Amino acid sequence: FKVNRFEQLCINYTNEKLQQKYTHDVFQSVQEEYEFEGIELPNLHYEDNTDVVALIEGRMGLIAVLNEECVRPRGNDQAFVSKIKTLHKEMNCLIADRLHRPNEFGIRHYAGDVKYDA
């Protein structure tokens, strides 16, 4: 899409949660079961999207900051984006491109990078 807003963030968040569940059910749980039973298993590499899920749903994640900004008397899009870029500047999954407009940010989802417009 040319413009991704809250609706697309919700869709992508759902996909991240589904991917997290799939990864756990297929890779992590099988690996744990094999280890428990003493069966050798080659080291499996799989993408872990825990950081993206934490960015969105964590204690000071996007949803919490958005909720906080919505109840503030003068809350606005630019303040929301500024807060998330400041709070999560160390997270590799948050794209804080200098070329983004003040109300834009990006997320590195497991399926690819997405730029959002607040």
Side-chain angles (χ1 to χ4, degrees):
F1 299 107
K2 285 190 176 200
V3 178
N4 294 295
R5 294 208 165 100
F6 182 70
E7 296 83 2
Q8 189 62 44
L9 177 65
C10 291
I11 291 167
N12 291 342
Y13 169 54
T14 302
N15 288 334
E16 290 289 348
K17 291 295 284 185
L18 289 169
Q19 179 66 24
Q20 186 180 48
K21 173 131 179 67
Y22 175 81
T23 299
H24 180 268
D25 289 350
V26 172
F27 297 109
Q28 292 174 339
S29 64
V30 169
Q31 200 168 15
E32 290 168 4
E33 184 178 332
Y34 273 47
E35 287 173 8
F36 177 76
E37 294 181 8
I39 301 171
E40 273 195 49
L41 182 67
N43 193 8
L44 298 175
H45 176 72
Y46 51 87
E47 293 296 319
D48 183 11
N49 67 340
T50 304
D51 57 341
V52 178
V53 173
L55 173 67
I56 298 171
E57 72 179 14
R59 186 174 159 268
M60 287 302 292
L62 272 61
I63 294 172
V65 174
L66 180 61
N67 187 48
E68 177 186 298
E69 200 59 32
C70 287
V71 297
R72 287 188 55 229
R74 291 207 160 99
N76 61 61
D77 300 342
Q78 290 181 6
F80 165 70
V81 173
S82 177
K83 283 180 186 176
I84 63 169
K85 285 182 177 180
T86 301
L87 287 168
H88 302 290
K89 63 185 171 197
E90 302 299 321
M91 295 191 82
N92 290 331
C93 59
L94 178 67
I95 304 168
D97 194 330
R98 292 182 298 135
L99 300 177
H100 284 165
R101 295 192 324 251
N103 59 328
E104 293 178 335
F105 65 96
I107 298 178
R108 284 189 178 85
H109 291 283
Y110 78 92
D113 295 356
V114 178
K115 181 174 76 172
Y116 296 97
D117 186 331

